[in-house]
Amino acid sequence: MRIYVACLASYNNGVLHGAWIDASTDVDSMQDEINAMLRASRFPNVTVKCVECEGSGEKTFHNSETGATRQDKCPTCKGAGNVPSAEEWAIHDHEGLGAISEHCGLAAIAERVKLAEVADDSGIPLEVVLEVADDNITNDVESFIRDNYRGQYDSWADFAEEFTEETDGLSGVPDHIKPYIDFEAMGRDWRISGDFHYVERDGSLFVFWNH
Ligand SMILES: [Zn+2]
């Protein structure tokens, strides 16, 4: 999962300057990478604290032969303690995160990364996870999906049949009777029972317990 963050000052001057950065749940680390990209812009419009010397303008240099140390000007900011930087950025591309807005912030990216990880862990397509999140049935979509996911089925009848078999609901039913059990009707009732939350997508049914 990555996002491509573009420097808007460069973009507005017809220059492509930006960086692919790893999308993560750590907003600060993403911001650090974006700040580094902005400091490297050819179109700075603000000054920011020098990261190299943390604004002091000085660096400690070590002589590896003598072991001596000396203080001198920070080579990055030339002793000024601050450096030029561009300021504005936007997400111009992304991979593995589903649909996102160019104007969404890093907090939204971090949230999306969490959902993508849940999708990965559970084997549920990210689009289905996002649909559950959009349904707003819970504040904690991650736990809901981890705890309540029942499975992926071709249809409600398929779900009703599999579930009934798995829970031993057919034990004692003679084989010649089984074909007469109406799983279609059972599935229809389950669909409207309120016991399940579900997403129907691309011919598949994804079922979650609704509690
Ligand atoms: Zn410096």
Side-chain angles (χ1 to χ4, degrees):
M1 291 170 276
R2 305 190 298 166
I3 53 176
Y4 182 81
V5 183
C7 164
L8 288 183
S10 300
Y11 185 79
N12 293 335
N13 283 286
V15 173
L16 291 179
H17 172 65
W20 279 103
I21 68 172
D22 286 334
S24 84
T25 55
D26 184 348
V27 169
D28 290 341
S29 80
M30 289 191 284
Q31 187 67 60
D32 286 347
E33 290 193 54
I34 292 171
N35 291 346
M37 178 277 289
L38 291 171
R39 288 194 303 274
S41 172
R42 280 167 49 197
F43 302 93
N45 59 333
V46 291
T47 52
V48 297
K49 192 163 89 173
C50 174
V51 172
E52 193 64 32
C53 61
E54 294 177 327
S56 70
E58 289 197 339
K59 285 277 284 181
T60 305
F61 293 87
H62 299 269
N63 186 320
S64 57
E65 279 174 21
T66 64
T69 62
R70 63 181 170 87
Q71 291 290 113
D72 210 339
K73 276 184 182 176
C74 167
T76 304
C77 60
K78 300 181 176 61
N82 52 49
V83 290
S85 174
E87 194 175 24
E88 295 189 316
W89 55 271
I91 297 166
H92 279 182
D93 204 353
H94 53 87
E95 288 174 356
L97 293 167
I100 57 171
S101 151
E102 156 175 357
H103 303 292
C104 84
L106 295 179
I109 295 293
E111 272 307 302
R112 181 59 62 88
V113 169
K114 277 188 207 162
L115 293 180
E117 284 172 356
V118 171
D120 238 29
D121 294 347
S122 58
I124 306 171
L126 178 58
E127 289 72 18
V128 172
V129 170
L130 296 181
E131 205 168 318
V132 174
D134 279 349
D135 289 341
N136 247 332
I137 43 168
T138 167
N139 294 327
D140 188 352
V141 181
E142 295 158 64
S143 300
F144 178 82
I145 286 178
R146 289 210 164 95
D147 299 342
N148 294 28
Y149 183 51
R150 187 65 187 70
Q152 177 181 355
Y153 305 92
D154 293 338
S155 65
W156 281 95
D158 177 37
F159 171 45
E161 184 169 356
E162 272 197 37
F163 186 86
T164 304
E165 275 175 9
E166 280 169 24
T167 53
D168 247 2
L170 296 177
S171 65
V173 179
D175 279 349
H176 68 282
I177 303 292
K178 283 179 186 169
Y180 298 96
I181 297 173
D182 191 349
F183 289 113
E184 292 282 343
M186 196 184 281
R188 269 198 304 277
D189 283 351
W190 287 12
R191 186 176 199 264
I192 59 172
S193 66
D195 289 339
F196 305 103
H197 189 79
Y198 61 91
V199 173
E200 288 166 316
R201 196 178 176 91
D202 300 334
S204 273
L205 170 69
F206 298 86
V207 180
F208 305 84
W209 286 108
N210 214 359
H211 53 67

